[in-house]
Amino acid sequence: MEKMDAEELFQAQAHLYNYTYSFIGSMCLKSAVHLGIPDIIFKNGQPITIPELVLALQIHPTKSGYVYRLMRLLVHAGFFATTKVVKDDKEEEVGYDLTPSSRLLLKDNVPTLSPFVRAMFHPALVHSSEFLPEWFHRNEITPFDTAFGMGYWDYLSQNQEFNGLFNEAMIGDSGMINLVIKDCKYVFEGLNSLVDVGGGKGGVGRIVTESLPNLHWTVLDLPHVIENLPDSTNLKFVGGDMFQSIPSADAILLKLVLHAYSDEDCVKVLKKCKEAISNKGKEGKVIIIDIVVGEKNENHVLTEAKLFFDMLMMVLVNGREREEKEWEKLFLDAGFSHYKITPIFGMRSLIEVYP
Ligand SMILES: C[S@@+](CC[C@H](N)C(=O)[O-])C[C@H]1O[C@@H](n2cnc3c(N)ncnc32)[C@H](O)[C@@H]1O
């Protein structure tokens, strides 16, 4: 220790404190979303000054002086940007503008990640992650089980408010596909039917069938998720359990489903998928949209996001984020012969798996 440079140790201290306090950064982001700051800036039509923001926020008068400090941190974190604005009195002031990250938080934007961020700050998720250290000494499958005495999917089925929030979050997340639908349309072309296993409220189905109206899309999800959802000409909803049975089709889609399960459960589901596409022979396929850790050219931000997701899967559902080798083993164990990975969705990849 003595031999180490003091400067190096002070850097190490800052590194430690930054990670220790990253929950404060998270709560600042939560505040921005709950206060509606991105939408206020957008409606303002130009960068907003602090007095204008304070007025629009309609917060308690004693809190006006604190807004600048919240914005300063969020600018530092890249959620907002500052620029100079000239007001009527010709004085230059600092104006706060959106960045690409906060544009994704606009409520009426397509895509919007506002519901996703809100759902991830739900007290049930924050609370269960606090049990991570204790869980290492205990027998439960996940820290979520340690915290609530039941599994994550059971909790969702018993908690209407959180279930609604979670499903909205997934629709928002699926909306990101809109950005590259033209680049991945080829994956769905030539298919007459597809079953979207664990497809939630049909977020991906609505986007894809809009540009491929002849594709018959069926969402299979748990009964409490799809209840009261109306079918349309080429989009229908079926309540069921993917471990029991999957309707047959030309292709199966699994978006952000397998990462929530153990290897053993993934192989079970993949075997059911293989059965479901067997009528199509060698031309059937399973389309997976999920995280592949350690892809070529993956930058630091993507790796960190993937590793955070991996920990989230550990806390909530006994799932994991997998490297290519681990995905390959699942496919081979389930009896598939080959696969192709295309990293087209940022932190998620498109994986086509063939019998
Ligand atoms: C992370 S969400 C992904 C939703 C959707 N694929 C998307 O990306 O927007 C996982 C989905 O799997 C569903 N699910 C969980 N267990 C299931 C089961 N045994 N059978 C069918 N669906 C299940 C959940 O209800 C949930 O909608």
Side-chain angles (χ1 to χ4, degrees), residues 153 156 166-167 170-171 173-174 196-201 203-204 220-222 224-225 240-243 254-257 259-261:
W153 303 117
L156 275 178
F166 178 74
N167 292 323
M170 296 319 301
I171 292 175
D173 183 87
S174 292
D196 184 357
V197 174
K201 295 202 177 281
V204 182
L220 171 78
D221 209 298
L222 298 170
H224 68 268
V225 175
D241 178 353
M242 64 188 175
F243 289 101
L254 292 156
K255 173 176 173 275
L256 293 186
V257 173
H259 79 151
Y261 290 93

Side-chain angles (χ1 to χ4, degrees), residues 81-149:
T82 52
T83 176
K84 294 266 182 263
V85 289
V86 181
K87 290 284 149 188
D88 301 337
D89 54 12
K90 307 278 187 263
E91 283 279 312
E92 260 194 358
E93 286 184 58
V94 175
Y96 292 81
D97 207 351
L98 297 169
T99 63
S101 309
S102 45
R103 278 188 184 279
L104 285 174
L105 294 172
L106 297 174
K107 278 201 211 100
D108 298 328
N109 224 33
V110 179
T112 175
L113 295 183
S114 173
F116 192 91
V117 172
R118 280 173 181 268
M120 294 305 124
F121 283 125
H122 190 277
L125 301 200
V126 177
H127 181 63
S128 54
S129 60
E130 283 197 69
F131 283 81
L132 187 56
E134 185 183 333
W135 168 78
F136 275 101
H137 294 287
R138 297 175 60 108
N139 191 26
E140 291 94 4
I141 296 177
T142 63
F144 194 92
D145 286 70
T146 307
F148 292 101

Side-chain angles (χ1 to χ4, degrees), residues 78-304:
F79 294 111
F80 301 108
T82 52
T83 176
K84 294 266 182 263
V85 289
V86 181
K87 290 284 149 188
D88 301 337
D89 54 12
K90 307 278 187 263
E91 283 279 312
E92 260 194 358
E93 286 184 58
V94 175
Y96 292 81
D97 207 351
L98 297 169
T99 63
S101 309
S102 45
R103 278 188 184 279
L104 285 174
L105 294 172
L106 297 174
K107 278 201 211 100
D108 298 328
N109 224 33
V110 179
T112 175
L113 295 183
S114 173
F116 192 91
V117 172
R118 280 173 181 268
M120 294 305 124
F121 283 125
H122 190 277
L125 301 200
V126 177
H127 181 63
S128 54
S129 60
E130 283 197 69
F131 283 81
L132 187 56
E134 185 183 333
W135 168 78
F136 275 101
H137 294 287
R138 297 175 60 108
N139 191 26
E140 291 94 4
I141 296 177
T142 63
F144 194 92
D145 286 70
T146 307
F148 292 101
M150 67 174 96
Y152 181 68
W153 303 117
D154 287 338
Y155 181 89
L156 275 178
S157 71
Q158 290 173 31
N159 188 318
Q160 277 309 310
E161 177 251 335
F162 186 36
N163 182 43
L165 203 60
F166 178 74
N167 292 323
E168 277 306 303
M170 296 319 301
I171 292 175
D173 183 87
S174 292
M176 294 294 282
I177 287 196
N178 252 324
L179 302 171
V180 286
I181 187 70
K182 59 178 189 326
D183 305 321
C184 64
K185 215 168 140 183
Y186 72 91
V187 178
F188 302 98
E189 268 162 354
L191 300 173
N192 290 314
S193 57
L194 177 145
V195 177
D196 184 357
V197 174
K201 295 202 177 281
V204 182
R206 279 176 231 285
I207 294 167
V208 178
T209 53
E210 206 164 278
S211 50
L212 290 168
N214 294 326
L215 173 57
H216 292 275
W217 192 284
T218 303
V219 171
L220 171 78
D221 209 298
L222 298 170
H224 68 268
V225 175
I226 56 106
E227 70 185 357
N228 302 327
L229 287 177
D231 292 346
S232 62
T233 329
N234 55 352
L235 180 62
K236 76 175 204 202
F237 294 90
V238 174
D241 178 353
M242 64 188 175
F243 289 101
Q244 300 302 322
S245 145
I246 296 176
S248 56
D250 292 350
I252 302 293
L253 173 68
L254 292 156
K255 173 176 173 275
L256 293 186
V257 173
L258 295 180
H259 79 151
Y261 290 93
S262 66
D263 289 355
E264 199 189 1
D265 281 345
C266 286
V267 172
K268 276 188 206 153
V269 173
L270 284 166
K271 281 185 175 165
K272 289 268 173 223
C273 293
K274 191 158 176 276
E275 260 170 58
I277 56 168
S278 58
N279 286 344
K280 193 75 178 164
K282 285 280 169 203
E283 282 172 34
K285 65 175 161 181
V286 176
I287 303 161
I288 296 172
I289 298 176
D290 222 320
I291 287 176
V292 179
V293 179
E295 279 186 309
K296 248 190 259 152
N297 305 326
E298 185 177 290
N299 64 33
H300 181 78
V301 175
L302 282 183
T303 306
E304 190 158 67

Side-chain angles (χ1 to χ4, degrees), residues 53-66:
L53 180 58
V54 166
L55 199 65
L57 281 172
Q58 299 181 340
I59 47 179
H60 194 275
T62 58
K63 300 297 174 304
S64 307
Y66 295 92

Side-chain angles (χ1 to χ4, degrees), residues 15-47:
H15 178 217
L16 266 178
Y17 287 6
N18 275 358
Y19 232 70
T20 306
Y21 290 135
S22 51
F23 74 93
I24 292 185
S26 297
M27 289 306 145
C28 290
L29 177 61
K30 177 178 174 173
S31 305
V33 171
H34 282 249
L35 290 166
I37 295 176
D39 283 298
I40 290 174
I41 297 180
F42 180 72
K43 281 191 201 119
N44 196 51
Q46 57 176 310

Side-chain angles (χ1 to χ4, degrees), residues 289-330:
I289 298 176
D290 222 320
I291 287 176
V292 179
V293 179
E295 279 186 309
K296 248 190 259 152
N297 305 326
E298 185 177 290
N299 64 33
H300 181 78
V301 175
L302 282 183
T303 306
E304 190 158 67
K306 291 176 182 192
L307 297 179
F308 279 147
F309 261 94
D310 184 49
M311 287 297 107
L312 188 68
M313 292 305 110
M314 192 158 107
V315 168
L316 300 183
V317 285
N318 189 30
R320 61 187 305 156
E321 304 304 349
R322 299 175 168 89
E323 296 179 16
E324 179 173 347
K325 275 248 150 306
E326 295 165 320
W327 279 111
E328 183 179 42
K329 181 163 183 343
L330 296 184

